[in-house]
Structure formats: structure tokens, C-alpha cells
Amino acid sequence: MRWDALFSDLEAQMAAAGHLDLEAEVAERVRAEQSAVLLADRLRAGAGRPVEVLLRQGARCRGTVSQVADTWFVLEDPPRSLLIPAHAVATVAGMGRRAAREESAVRRSLSLSSGLRALARDRAVVGCMVDGGTTDPYTVTGRIDVVGGDYLEVTPADGAQALEERQPRTLLIPFAALLAVRAGG
């Protein structure tokens, strides 16, 4: 009888150890899967939710997430909308735990340049929030004339002229300094 109890105890210990190994493996797989989730996937799953975005320079923006690409998203706060590059985000509050991967290869591949070119085509006056290295963002209000590979060119709405050229003054804004682009209201 004692041998039966000993073998039963050993079987129970092995089953418990196997169960712990399985739990550890599942936890590791979950962590590995989570490491592949992008900020854009979390934002996509929360589309239509009210959120607060803290930009890396300190400005706060509130609204609902609408369009999401892998490197930028649009925050709607009627009557205006903000195109926000993912690199400019410090935190996002108000998101759930879900994630949703974009199934469309075209939508996934939309670059920051793509979103900015859409605004340039409209020729609407926009406000470009720029990280000028201070605690307050610098805002350039004007029209986007050119969208380059890593910059945009804006003609300020104030109509200022460059003295030496007698042409409207334009500003080049590197994407790395761009915090958000406000369109509408």
C-alpha cells in the first residue's frame, strides 16, 4: 500500500510540474505575441473612443481616434481634426486592452507623407505644431506646398515675403520636429 501512495504522490508532483511548465510556456507566448502589437493596432481597436493624447513635447490633445496608419493617426475634435505622427506621442489615455491589426496592405503602408499629401492637395490652411525645443510647441499656420521624403514645406498664412526673393516666405519642417497638423476649425 505504501508503494501505491508513493507512486500516486510522484504522479501528482509530475502532473503539477507539467501544469506549471505549460502555464509558463503560455505566459511566454502571450508576452511574445504582445511584443508584436504596434501602437497603431491599439489605436485602431479604440477607433471612435474618446482619448487624451499627450504629445512628447507636453501639449495635450483630446478627441476620438478615426483614421489610423502604422506611423500616424487622426484625432477628431469637431470642427477640427489633428493628424498626429506616432513618433510625437508620449502617452495615450482612455484606450482599452484590445488590439486590431490592419488587414489592408494599402492602409498599413500609408506613410506620414501620404497623410500630409492629402492635406496639401486640399490647399486648406492648417496649423503645424512644431517641437522647437521649448516647453510650448511652436505653431506654423499656412498651406502645405510640398511634402518631401522627410520634411514638409509650409507657406505661412500671414503672407510675409522674403526680402531677397520677393516671394512668399516658406518654412521647411522636418518630420522629426512635427508634433501634429491641425485641419479645420
Side-chain angles (χ1 to χ4, degrees):
M1 282 296 243
R2 291 189 327 175
W3 290 107
D4 289 338
L6 177 64
F7 286 123
S8 293
D9 184 48
L10 286 174
E11 284 178 356
Q13 287 179 20
M14 289 179 68
H19 184 70
L20 289 176
D21 286 345
L22 178 61
E23 283 182 357
E25 183 180 340
V26 167
E28 179 55 31
R29 286 185 183 193
V30 166
R31 282 190 292 276
E33 189 174 313
Q34 286 173 334
S35 71
V37 174
L38 300 174
L39 173 63
D41 298 333
R42 294 289 300 276
L43 292 169
R44 200 173 287 112
R49 286 185 104 127
V51 297
E52 180 178 84
V53 177
L54 174 66
L55 299 178
R56 86 170 173 248
Q57 171 281 335
R60 293 184 186 277
C61 309
R62 291 178 182 87
T64 56
V65 175
S66 63
Q67 304 298 315
V68 180
D70 282 356
T71 60
W72 57 273
F73 63 98
V74 174
L75 193 64
E76 298 289 345
D77 184 20
R80 68 183 182 139
S81 61
L82 289 169
L83 184 148
I84 301 175
H87 73 261
V89 175
T91 63
V92 179
M95 296 299 302
R97 301 285 302 189
R98 294 185 48 230
R101 181 128 171 93
E102 177 59 65
E103 298 301 321
S104 166
V106 172
R107 283 183 176 258
R108 259 195 327 270
S109 68
L110 291 176
S111 66
L112 180 57
S113 296
S114 304
L116 293 170
R117 278 194 304 271
L119 291 172
R121 270 192 309 270
D122 291 346
R123 299 298 300 151
V125 174
V126 298
C128 298
M129 290 174 60
V130 179
D131 184 353
T134 64
T135 56
D136 293 324
Y138 173 68
T139 300
V140 176
T141 302
R143 288 184 171 76
I144 299 173
D145 292 322
V146 175
V147 178
D150 63 350
Y151 73 96
L152 65 147
E153 183 177 315
V154 177
T155 299
D158 63 11
Q161 305 273 321
L163 295 176
E164 62 279 356
E165 299 174 15
R166 302 282 183 241
Q167 299 275 335
R169 168 176 57 96
T170 61
L171 297 173
L172 302 180
I173 303 171
F175 288 170
L178 190 64
L179 296 171
V181 179
R182 181 187 69 246

mmCIF file of all heavy atoms in Angstrom, residues 28 56 61 64 72-73 85 93 100-101 107 109 117-118 136 140 146 153 155 166-167 175 178 181:
data_model
loop_
_atom_site.group_PDB
_atom_site.id
_atom_site.type_symbol
_atom_site.label_atom_id
_atom_site.label_comp_id
_atom_site.label_asym_id
_atom_site.label_seq_id
_atom_site.Cartn_x
_atom_site.Cartn_y
_atom_site.Cartn_z
ATOM 1 N N GLU A 28 4.770 32.943 -21.651
ATOM 2 C CA GLU A 28 5.852 33.411 -22.522
ATOM 3 C C GLU A 28 5.340 33.665 -23.936
ATOM 4 O O GLU A 28 5.717 34.656 -24.576
ATOM 5 C CB GLU A 28 7.004 32.407 -22.539
ATOM 6 C CG GLU A 28 8.162 32.804 -23.427
ATOM 7 C CD GLU A 28 8.747 34.175 -23.122
ATOM 8 O OE1 GLU A 28 8.726 34.605 -21.949
ATOM 9 O OE2 GLU A 28 9.220 34.841 -24.059
ATOM 10 N N ARG A 56 4.860 64.384 -27.042
ATOM 11 C CA ARG A 56 6.144 64.246 -26.344
ATOM 12 C C ARG A 56 6.675 65.582 -25.855
ATOM 13 O O ARG A 56 7.459 65.631 -24.939
ATOM 14 C CB ARG A 56 7.137 63.495 -27.223
ATOM 15 C CG ARG A 56 7.873 64.314 -28.141
ATOM 16 C CD ARG A 56 9.011 63.670 -28.848
ATOM 17 N NE ARG A 56 9.368 64.714 -29.775
ATOM 18 C CZ ARG A 56 9.224 64.659 -31.052
ATOM 19 N NH1 ARG A 56 8.840 63.558 -31.622
ATOM 20 N NH2 ARG A 56 9.501 65.685 -31.789
ATOM 21 N N CYS A 61 -3.958 66.774 -26.314
ATOM 22 C CA CYS A 61 -4.990 66.819 -27.349
ATOM 23 C C CYS A 61 -6.065 65.811 -26.970
ATOM 24 O O CYS A 61 -5.756 64.692 -26.581
ATOM 25 C CB CYS A 61 -4.410 66.447 -28.711
ATOM 26 S SG CYS A 61 -2.922 67.345 -29.169
ATOM 27 N N THR A 64 -11.534 61.845 -30.596
ATOM 28 C CA THR A 64 -11.751 60.431 -30.880
ATOM 29 C C THR A 64 -10.854 60.014 -32.040
ATOM 30 O O THR A 64 -10.661 60.768 -32.998
ATOM 31 C CB THR A 64 -13.222 60.124 -31.243
ATOM 32 O OG1 THR A 64 -13.603 60.938 -32.342
ATOM 33 C CG2 THR A 64 -14.140 60.402 -30.073
ATOM 34 N N TRP A 72 0.992 57.086 -38.211
ATOM 35 C CA TRP A 72 0.245 58.285 -37.863
ATOM 36 C C TRP A 72 -1.220 57.930 -37.650
ATOM 37 O O TRP A 72 -1.675 56.853 -38.021
ATOM 38 C CB TRP A 72 0.385 59.363 -38.937
ATOM 39 C CG TRP A 72 -0.053 58.932 -40.306
ATOM 40 C CD1 TRP A 72 0.704 58.298 -41.243
ATOM 41 C CD2 TRP A 72 -1.358 59.067 -40.887
ATOM 42 N NE1 TRP A 72 -0.043 58.037 -42.370
ATOM 43 C CE2 TRP A 72 -1.312 58.509 -42.171
ATOM 44 C CE3 TRP A 72 -2.559 59.615 -40.452
ATOM 45 C CZ2 TRP A 72 -2.408 58.487 -43.018
ATOM 46 C CZ3 TRP A 72 -3.655 59.588 -41.292
ATOM 47 C CH2 TRP A 72 -3.568 59.026 -42.576
ATOM 48 N N PHE A 73 -1.952 58.854 -37.035
ATOM 49 C CA PHE A 73 -3.393 58.671 -36.859
ATOM 50 C C PHE A 73 -4.061 60.038 -36.825
ATOM 51 O O PHE A 73 -3.405 61.063 -36.702
ATOM 52 C CB PHE A 73 -3.707 57.864 -35.597
ATOM 53 C CG PHE A 73 -3.287 58.511 -34.304
ATOM 54 C CD1 PHE A 73 -4.207 59.215 -33.530
ATOM 55 C CD2 PHE A 73 -1.983 58.412 -33.857
ATOM 56 C CE1 PHE A 73 -3.810 59.813 -32.348
ATOM 57 C CE2 PHE A 73 -1.585 59.001 -32.676
ATOM 58 C CZ PHE A 73 -2.507 59.709 -31.909
ATOM 59 N N PRO A 85 1.670 62.319 -35.894
ATOM 60 C CA PRO A 85 2.658 61.272 -36.171
ATOM 61 C C PRO A 85 2.863 60.425 -34.911
ATOM 62 O O PRO A 85 2.901 60.947 -33.797
ATOM 63 C CB PRO A 85 3.937 62.049 -36.496
ATOM 64 C CG PRO A 85 3.523 63.460 -36.729
ATOM 65 C CD PRO A 85 2.256 63.660 -35.973
ATOM 66 N N ALA A 93 -4.233 58.143 -23.187
ATOM 67 C CA ALA A 93 -5.104 57.716 -22.084
ATOM 68 C C ALA A 93 -6.503 57.472 -22.628
ATOM 69 O O ALA A 93 -6.964 58.172 -23.521
ATOM 70 C CB ALA A 93 -5.154 58.788 -21.000
ATOM 71 N N ALA A 100 -6.171 45.666 -32.814
ATOM 72 C CA ALA A 100 -6.738 45.224 -34.094
ATOM 73 C C ALA A 100 -5.721 45.498 -35.189
ATOM 74 O O ALA A 100 -5.389 46.653 -35.454
ATOM 75 C CB ALA A 100 -8.050 45.949 -34.384
ATOM 76 N N ARG A 101 -5.242 44.461 -35.806
ATOM 77 C CA ARG A 101 -4.270 44.595 -36.894
ATOM 78 C C ARG A 101 -5.009 45.035 -38.157
ATOM 79 O O ARG A 101 -6.115 44.577 -38.436
ATOM 80 C CB ARG A 101 -3.595 43.245 -37.126
ATOM 81 C CG ARG A 101 -2.569 43.272 -38.215
ATOM 82 C CD ARG A 101 -1.267 42.705 -37.730
ATOM 83 N NE ARG A 101 -0.343 42.523 -38.812
ATOM 84 C CZ ARG A 101 0.544 43.448 -39.152
ATOM 85 N NH1 ARG A 101 0.608 44.556 -38.489
ATOM 86 N NH2 ARG A 101 1.368 43.245 -40.162
ATOM 87 N N ARG A 107 -3.615 50.252 -46.596
ATOM 88 C CA ARG A 107 -3.757 51.117 -45.414
ATOM 89 C C ARG A 107 -2.559 50.993 -44.483
ATOM 90 O O ARG A 107 -2.135 51.965 -43.886
ATOM 91 C CB ARG A 107 -5.034 50.788 -44.654
ATOM 92 C CG ARG A 107 -6.260 51.348 -45.297
ATOM 93 C CD ARG A 107 -7.472 51.043 -44.425
ATOM 94 N NE ARG A 107 -8.643 51.644 -44.957
ATOM 95 C CZ ARG A 107 -9.185 52.763 -44.484
ATOM 96 N NH1 ARG A 107 -8.653 53.370 -43.460
ATOM 97 N NH2 ARG A 107 -10.264 53.249 -45.032
ATOM 98 N N SER A 109 0.444 50.466 -45.309
ATOM 99 C CA SER A 109 1.635 51.082 -45.901
ATOM 100 C C SER A 109 1.539 52.603 -46.022
ATOM 101 O O SER A 109 2.490 53.229 -46.477
ATOM 102 C CB SER A 109 1.901 50.484 -47.281
ATOM 103 O OG SER A 109 0.887 50.868 -48.177
ATOM 104 N N ARG A 117 0.276 64.619 -47.798
ATOM 105 C CA ARG A 117 -0.031 64.944 -49.199
ATOM 106 C C ARG A 117 -1.529 65.155 -49.391
ATOM 107 O O ARG A 117 -1.942 66.018 -50.172
ATOM 108 C CB ARG A 117 0.476 63.850 -50.139
ATOM 109 C CG ARG A 117 1.951 63.982 -50.458
ATOM 110 C CD ARG A 117 2.369 63.120 -51.640
ATOM 111 N NE ARG A 117 2.044 61.722 -51.466
ATOM 112 C CZ ARG A 117 2.842 60.825 -50.887
ATOM 113 N NH1 ARG A 117 4.017 61.193 -50.441
ATOM 114 N NH2 ARG A 117 2.476 59.577 -50.775
ATOM 115 N N ALA A 118 -2.357 64.403 -48.672
ATOM 116 C CA ALA A 118 -3.808 64.598 -48.762
ATOM 117 C C ALA A 118 -4.172 66.007 -48.291
ATOM 118 O O ALA A 118 -5.013 66.678 -48.902
ATOM 119 C CB ALA A 118 -4.533 63.543 -47.943
ATOM 120 N N ASP A 136 6.673 74.948 -24.890
ATOM 121 C CA ASP A 136 5.467 75.235 -25.666
ATOM 122 C C ASP A 136 5.729 74.956 -27.134
ATOM 123 O O ASP A 136 6.742 75.414 -27.683
ATOM 124 C CB ASP A 136 5.049 76.703 -25.502
ATOM 125 C CG ASP A 136 4.592 77.018 -24.092
ATOM 126 O OD1 ASP A 136 3.959 76.136 -23.483
ATOM 127 O OD2 ASP A 136 4.881 78.123 -23.610
ATOM 128 N N VAL A 140 2.894 76.806 -36.757
ATOM 129 C CA VAL A 140 3.001 77.475 -38.048
ATOM 130 C C VAL A 140 1.656 77.306 -38.737
ATOM 131 O O VAL A 140 1.214 76.182 -38.974
ATOM 132 C CB VAL A 140 4.105 76.842 -38.922
ATOM 133 C CG1 VAL A 140 4.125 77.483 -40.297
ATOM 134 C CG2 VAL A 140 5.448 76.936 -38.241
ATOM 135 N N VAL A 146 4.681 71.555 -50.263
ATOM 136 C CA VAL A 146 5.469 70.415 -50.703
ATOM 137 C C VAL A 146 5.585 69.429 -49.555
ATOM 138 O O VAL A 146 5.765 69.826 -48.410
ATOM 139 C CB VAL A 146 6.893 70.859 -51.133
ATOM 140 C CG1 VAL A 146 7.766 69.672 -51.473
ATOM 141 C CG2 VAL A 146 6.829 71.832 -52.301
ATOM 142 N N GLU A 153 6.971 71.499 -46.566
ATOM 143 C CA GLU A 153 7.209 72.921 -46.801
ATOM 144 C C GLU A 153 5.876 73.635 -46.651
ATOM 145 O O GLU A 153 4.889 73.266 -47.282
ATOM 146 C CB GLU A 153 7.756 73.118 -48.216
ATOM 147 C CG GLU A 153 8.108 74.542 -48.546
ATOM 148 C CD GLU A 153 8.716 74.649 -49.932
ATOM 149 O OE1 GLU A 153 9.591 73.824 -50.276
ATOM 150 O OE2 GLU A 153 8.306 75.562 -50.666
ATOM 151 N N THR A 155 3.865 77.431 -46.514
ATOM 152 C CA THR A 155 3.845 78.874 -46.727
ATOM 153 C C THR A 155 2.932 79.455 -45.660
ATOM 154 O O THR A 155 1.731 79.146 -45.635
ATOM 155 C CB THR A 155 3.311 79.245 -48.123
ATOM 156 O OG1 THR A 155 4.174 78.675 -49.108
ATOM 157 C CG2 THR A 155 3.250 80.747 -48.309
ATOM 158 N N ARG A 166 11.452 88.418 -52.906
ATOM 159 C CA ARG A 166 10.115 88.953 -53.216
ATOM 160 C C ARG A 166 9.111 87.831 -53.474
ATOM 161 O O ARG A 166 8.217 87.943 -54.277
ATOM 162 C CB ARG A 166 10.152 89.903 -54.415
ATOM 163 C CG ARG A 166 11.066 91.066 -54.232
ATOM 164 C CD ARG A 166 10.396 92.107 -53.349
ATOM 165 N NE ARG A 166 11.241 93.282 -53.224
ATOM 166 C CZ ARG A 166 11.729 93.712 -52.074
ATOM 167 N NH1 ARG A 166 11.464 93.093 -50.967
ATOM 168 N NH2 ARG A 166 12.491 94.781 -52.039
ATOM 169 N N GLN A 167 9.336 86.725 -52.798
ATOM 170 C CA GLN A 167 8.466 85.546 -52.890
ATOM 171 C C GLN A 167 7.871 85.304 -51.513
ATOM 172 O O GLN A 167 8.448 85.710 -50.512
ATOM 173 C CB GLN A 167 9.285 84.305 -53.279
ATOM 174 C CG GLN A 167 9.964 84.396 -54.603
ATOM 175 C CD GLN A 167 9.035 83.986 -55.726
ATOM 176 O OE1 GLN A 167 8.107 83.240 -55.507
ATOM 177 N NE2 GLN A 167 9.269 84.484 -56.908
ATOM 178 N N PHE A 175 10.017 66.104 -40.535
ATOM 179 C CA PHE A 175 9.017 65.235 -39.893
ATOM 180 C C PHE A 175 9.370 64.978 -38.431
ATOM 181 O O PHE A 175 8.493 64.873 -37.584
ATOM 182 C CB PHE A 175 8.904 63.895 -40.618
ATOM 183 C CG PHE A 175 8.230 63.960 -41.968
ATOM 184 C CD1 PHE A 175 8.260 62.851 -42.799
ATOM 185 C CD2 PHE A 175 7.574 65.092 -42.409
ATOM 186 C CE1 PHE A 175 7.635 62.881 -44.039
ATOM 187 C CE2 PHE A 175 6.953 65.134 -43.647
ATOM 188 C CZ PHE A 175 6.993 64.027 -44.463
ATOM 189 N N LEU A 178 7.820 67.529 -36.248
ATOM 190 C CA LEU A 178 6.377 67.699 -36.379
ATOM 191 C C LEU A 178 5.637 66.966 -35.264
ATOM 192 O O LEU A 178 5.799 65.766 -35.079
ATOM 193 C CB LEU A 178 5.913 67.189 -37.751
ATOM 194 C CG LEU A 178 4.489 67.486 -38.154
ATOM 195 C CD1 LEU A 178 4.266 68.991 -38.295
ATOM 196 C CD2 LEU A 178 4.176 66.788 -39.482
ATOM 197 N N VAL A 181 -0.653 68.134 -37.019
ATOM 198 C CA VAL A 181 -1.135 69.054 -38.024
ATOM 199 C C VAL A 181 -2.640 69.191 -37.825
ATOM 200 O O VAL A 181 -3.381 68.214 -37.906
ATOM 201 C CB VAL A 181 -0.829 68.566 -39.461
ATOM 202 C CG1 VAL A 181 -1.385 69.557 -40.481
ATOM 203 C CG2 VAL A 181 0.664 68.380 -39.665
#
